[in-house]
Amino acid sequence: MFQVLDESKLQEVDSLWKEFETPEKANKVVKLKHFEKFQDTTEALAAATAMTEGKMGKSLKKVLKKVVAKEAHEQLAISDAKLGGVIKEKLNLSCVHSPAVAELMRGIRTQMESLITGLPPREISAMSLGLAHSLSRYKLKFSPDKVDTMIVQAISLLDDLDKELNNYIMRCREWYGWHFPEVGKIITDNLAYCKSVRKIGARTNVATTDLSEHLPEEVEAEVKLAAEISMGTEVSEEDIGNIMHLCDQVIEITEYRTQLYDYLKNRMMAIAPNLTVMVGELVGARLISHAGSLLNLAKHPASTVQILGAEKALFRALKTRRDTPKYGLIYHASLVGQTSAKNKGKISRMLAAKASLAIRYDALGEDTNAEMGVENRAKLEARLRHLEEKGITRISGTGKAMAKSDKYQHRSDVKVYDPSGDSTLPSVSKKRKFEEVEEEEVATPVTVKTKKPKKEPVEEPEASTAAEETPKKKKKKSKKAEEEAMDVKEEEEEATVSPTEEVRS
């Protein structure tokens, strides 16, 4: 505790640092009033911890009571306003906190060795280093729930246990199936199967064994009936003993897996409550394990969180220039699982965006509640209902405009049968049909190479085009056009000779 000798210098905050450039100048500004050392590192750690939390430790309280008894009219300059409020409340001592006080504290720290006599610099540095290490270690111990290494190890062990359990159960079913194959199809639950086999032993003991503890009545009756007509082979007592020992292993591992899952659930709710609410315990733990830690996961953007776990598919898609994956580990979240196939991509994108916010809040925030996760999950569920009901709202424009629907009117239209669909041939006018019939009756003309008499030139392209016109283009012709067509036809008949006439000549 120091006493300010010249309070007028505190008014010049910007130039106050000049008063602490040398130890001589510093001794003119402040003077050591009271000094009390700590007995050991534990006491120093307790005092430092109380100071950082804004509380008044026991040692500080004793010193301040001595000061109040002697100089109660003096003001106490402190660097922490929160601590000043506690001192004023408990000891009724007026406290001052201002920029000038903060600058004064900074100057005292720079000249601490010269202001406090009898302390070598080497001992002060060793004391400061030891206290800093103890304080850091205490903070780490104070919040052990924030250690996410346990989650990474727990989820890895859980996956290993699942693989081993599957292998053990498959081996147990196959091994005992040689002796009693029918029970494998009757009892589908793996744990109940192992417990029943453990209690039954040999197939001949089924009739006298009570399985009501592990199986329902109807299943138990079915097992006993199947034991009487079983097609299994006979095995020795040693074989049955090994099978029962394997069943014991399966039961123990299953119970330990249940215990480990509860431990993982509690640890996830302590470390990342908002992420757990959003995606679940297992998916959240796998995301943390894949990223390495919760802090590393918080550094990832939402797009990376969405495809985390599908890196191989992503790089294969980039290499082959195909569509990139829409989801990775987040696919196993309950919100994505209950969505239809066409909306899984949209929901996984929205879930990844909200989950990344929850991860950052859990990793960097001070609160440990799950209010934000619950709120965001409710929004996602509402959005999911809109997508499933195809109730996509209008984003731009006025939302006040209501959709107008026309008034319903009953209209009964009498439909008439249309015979045009009966034939696939194109419809032709009657005049065109009559001309085609006449052309079929006339024999096919053969052109003669004899010299033709000079006649008026006939425009053959016009005649041919007139004959080749489709019925759709040929509409009602005028009488003049019909007469011109008849004249052209007569000229063609004169120019051609029939085969009989050619033979006679």
Side-chain angles (χ1 to χ4, degrees):
M1 188 174 293
F2 294 91
Q3 183 179 6
V4 180
L5 301 176
D6 190 359
E7 295 184 4
S8 61
K9 293 183 179 181
L10 295 179
Q11 298 176 359
E12 301 175 359
V13 181
D14 297 335
S15 61
L16 187 60
W17 62 272
K18 295 179 181 179
E19 303 296 332
F20 290 90
E21 288 180 344
T22 60
E24 291 78 12
K25 289 184 177 181
N27 285 319
K28 294 179 181 178
V29 179
V30 292
K31 177 185 176 182
L32 183 63
K33 185 74 173 175
H34 183 81
F35 178 79
E36 187 172 346
K37 67 176 183 179
F38 296 109
Q39 298 296 328
D40 53 6
T41 311
T42 307
E43 189 179 353
L45 178 61
T49 306
M51 291 279 286
T52 53
E53 294 176 356
K55 298 178 182 178
M56 187 168 55
K58 292 182 179 180
S59 57
L60 180 60
K61 195 173 183 179
K62 289 179 182 179
V63 172
L64 290 177
K65 281 183 178 179
K66 293 178 183 178
V67 174
V68 170
K70 293 180 181 179
E71 301 175 0
H73 62 280
E74 295 287 342
Q75 285 185 335
L76 183 65
I78 57 169
S79 58
D80 189 5
K82 187 177 180 182
L83 181 62
V86 176
I87 294 172
K88 188 175 181 180
E89 181 182 351
K90 291 188 176 182
L91 301 177
N92 198 15
L93 185 66
S94 60
C95 300
V96 180
H97 175 70
S98 63
V101 173
E103 193 69 25
L104 179 64
M105 295 285 185
R106 192 177 294 113
I108 291 173
R109 289 195 194 97
T110 57
Q111 300 295 336
M112 183 71 74
E113 298 174 3
S114 60
L115 291 174
I116 301 176
T117 57
L119 286 177
R122 191 172 179 179
E123 291 185 6
I124 290 179
S125 61
M127 179 195 67
S128 303
L129 184 62
L131 183 60
H133 285 177
S134 301
L135 190 60
S136 301
R137 202 175 296 113
Y138 172 77
K139 285 184 177 179
L140 188 63
K141 287 181 180 178
F142 184 73
S143 181
D145 294 337
K146 287 296 180 184
V147 182
D148 49 10
T149 311
M150 306 302 171
I151 286 181
V152 176
Q153 300 297 331
I155 191 65
S156 301
L157 179 58
L158 199 67
D159 293 338
D160 293 341
L161 286 178
D162 287 337
K163 292 178 183 178
E164 292 299 324
L165 269 176
N166 287 333
N167 292 333
Y168 280 15
I169 289 167
M170 286 172 59
R171 183 65 56 202
C172 183
R173 282 179 176 272
E174 185 178 354
W175 199 351
Y176 194 70
W178 287 100
H179 179 58
F180 193 2
E182 291 82 8
V183 74
K185 295 181 180 179
I186 297 172
I187 306 174
T188 55
D189 184 59
N190 294 325
L191 185 59
Y193 178 85
C194 292
K195 288 182 178 180
S196 300
V197 171
R198 180 72 182 83
K199 197 164 187 179
I200 292 170
R203 184 183 61 209
T204 55
N205 301 330
V206 175
T208 59
T209 306
D210 183 19
L211 300 175
S212 59
E213 185 180 352
H214 309 300
L215 300 175
E217 293 181 1
E218 58 273 9
V219 177
E220 183 183 1
E222 195 173 351
V223 170
K224 291 183 177 181
L225 181 62
E228 297 176 359
I229 56 173
S230 177
M231 301 292 292
T233 60
E234 297 294 332
V235 293
S236 63
E237 291 293 332
E238 187 179 359
D239 297 332
I240 291 293
N242 284 311
I243 293 173
M244 292 172 71
H245 184 66
L246 179 59
C247 291
D248 289 337
Q249 294 292 322
V250 172
I251 294 169
E252 289 178 6
I253 294 175
T254 305
E255 291 175 354
Y256 175 63
R257 188 203 175 280
T258 306
Q259 178 186 350
L260 184 65
Y261 177 71
D262 293 337
Y263 163 77
L264 180 64
K265 187 191 298 184
N266 295 333
R267 185 51 64 96
M268 278 297 295
M269 283 303 295
I271 293 179
N274 293 285
L275 178 63
T276 306
V277 171
M278 292 293 296
V279 298
E281 302 90 9
L282 294 177
V283 178
R286 287 194 173 93
L287 288 173
I288 294 173
S289 175
H290 200 84
S293 67
L294 184 63
L295 193 60
N296 290 344
L297 186 62
K299 295 176 183 177
H300 290 320
S303 57
T304 306
V305 174
Q306 181 181 352
I307 60 170
L308 207 64
E311 290 85 1
K312 191 181 290 186
L314 173 66
F315 291 119
R316 183 171 62 244
L318 293 175
K319 188 176 180 180
T320 57
R321 295 185 179 180
R322 294 184 178 177
D323 293 337
T324 54
K326 296 179 180 178
Y327 27 67
L329 291 170
I330 208 169
Y331 177 80
H332 300 287
S334 59
L335 279 173
V336 181
Q338 66 189 17
T339 314
S340 58
K342 64 178 182 179
N343 293 327
K344 283 186 186 296
K346 292 180 181 180
I347 289 297
S348 63
R349 185 181 67 248
M350 292 186 286
L351 180 61
K354 296 295 184 184
S356 64
L357 292 177
I359 292 164
R360 290 165 193 166
Y361 186 79
D362 290 331
L364 307 172
E366 296 180 357
D367 298 333
T368 57
N369 53 12
E371 293 179 1
M372 192 187 77
V374 174
E375 184 180 351
N376 287 337
R377 186 179 176 89
K379 290 180 181 178
L380 284 176
E381 289 175 350
R383 178 63 177 157
L384 174 60
R385 285 194 297 272
H386 277 290
L387 289 176
E388 293 296 331
E389 296 170 2
K390 297 182 180 180
I392 301 174
T393 56
R394 188 175 167 188
I395 296 174
S396 61
T398 58
K400 296 180 181 179
M402 300 295 291
K404 296 181 180 179
S405 58
D406 297 333
K407 188 178 180 181
Y408 175 73
Q409 292 181 356
H410 180 69
R411 298 172 184 174
S412 59
D413 297 332
V414 180
K415 294 183 179 181
V416 183
Y417 177 72
D418 185 12
S420 62
D422 294 345
S423 175
T424 58
L425 297 175
S427 59
V428 187
S429 62
K430 291 183 179 180
K431 293 183 180 179
R432 176 62 181 164
K433 286 182 180 179
F434 181 75
E435 290 172 4
E436 287 177 358
V437 170
E438 287 182 351
E439 287 177 7
E440 287 176 2
E441 291 177 356
V442 178
T444 56
V446 180
T447 57
V448 184
K449 295 182 179 179
T450 56
K451 292 183 180 180
K452 298 177 183 179
K454 292 183 178 180
K455 293 183 180 180
E456 295 179 2
V458 179
E459 295 180 2
E460 291 181 3
E462 292 182 4
S464 62
T465 53
E468 291 175 0
E469 280 182 0
T470 57
K472 291 182 180 180
K473 293 182 180 180
K474 204 164 188 181
K475 298 180 180 179
K476 291 183 179 181
K477 293 183 178 181
S478 60
K479 292 182 179 181
K480 293 182 180 180
E482 291 179 359
E483 290 175 359
E484 288 177 2
M486 293 295 291
D487 294 339
V488 171
K489 196 170 186 180
E490 289 175 359
E491 290 174 1
E492 287 180 356
E493 290 177 357
E494 290 176 0
T496 57
V497 181
S498 64
T500 54
E501 290 178 355
E502 186 176 358
V503 172
R504 289 175 186 175
S505 63

